[in-house]
Amino acid sequence: QVQLVESGGGLVQAGDSLRLSCAASGAIVSIGAMGWYRQAPGKQRELVAQITSGGSTNYRDSVKGRFTISRDNTKNTVTLQMNSLEPEDTAVYFCRCEAVRTTMGWQNYWGRGTQVTVSS
C-alpha cells in the first residue's frame, strides 16, 4: 500500500558527510511528520531528527549543528544531510512517516533501514 524506500547509507571515515533520502510511494494523500531514527547494535532505536508537515524541525542533541533534515511535500521525500560524522553515528537509519493519509485511512510507516558506518 505505502512503501518507504531509503537510500544513501554507506561506509565513511570520521569527518565525512553522507546524505540519506527516503521516498514514500503509494496512494498517499498527505503525510504528517517525517523523520529519521537510528539503532545501533545492542541499543534501542532513537529519534535522530524529525520535520513536521509545516517544516518545524527537531533534532537530538548529539546531532545538532551537524545534521539537517528537509522534506519535499510534492514528492513525499525526506532527506537527512549528515556532516562531520562521528563513529558514534554508526547505526542502521530508519525513515518514519507518521499520520500518512491514504484512501484507506491513516497509518504510520517505517522504512527497512539503511546502514551507516563511520570508521575512526
Side-chain angles (χ1 to χ4, degrees), residues 6-18:
E6 300 112 329
S7 62
L11 170 63
V12 297
Q13 292 186 331
D16 286 349
S17 298
L18 276 176

Side-chain angles (χ1 to χ4, degrees), residues 9-65:
L11 170 63
V12 297
Q13 292 186 331
D16 286 349
S17 298
L18 276 176
R19 186 179 180 89
L20 304 183
S21 295
C22 173
S25 61
I28 297 170
V29 176
S30 62
I31 301 176
M34 304 179 81
W36 290 93
Y37 289 69
R38 68 187 181 189
Q39 188 167 18
K43 295 187 177 182
Q44 290 187 333
R45 192 172 298 188
E46 61 186 21
L47 174 67
V48 177
Q50 189 177 61
I51 183 167
T52 67
S53 58
S56 296
T57 58
N58 178 41
Y59 297 92
R60 71 178 303 103
D61 287 345
S62 62
V63 307
K64 286 181 180 177

Side-chain angles (χ1 to χ4, degrees), residues 3 18 23 35 41-42 48 55-56 58-59 67 70 78 85 93-94 96 98 100 105 110 113 116-117 120:
Q3 287 189 324
L18 276 176
V48 177
S56 296
N58 178 41
Y59 297 92
F67 292 9
S70 60
V78 59
L85 283 161
Y93 283 70
F94 297 89
R96 176 172 171 85
E98 298 180 353
V100 180
W110 286 99
V116 172
T117 303
S120 58

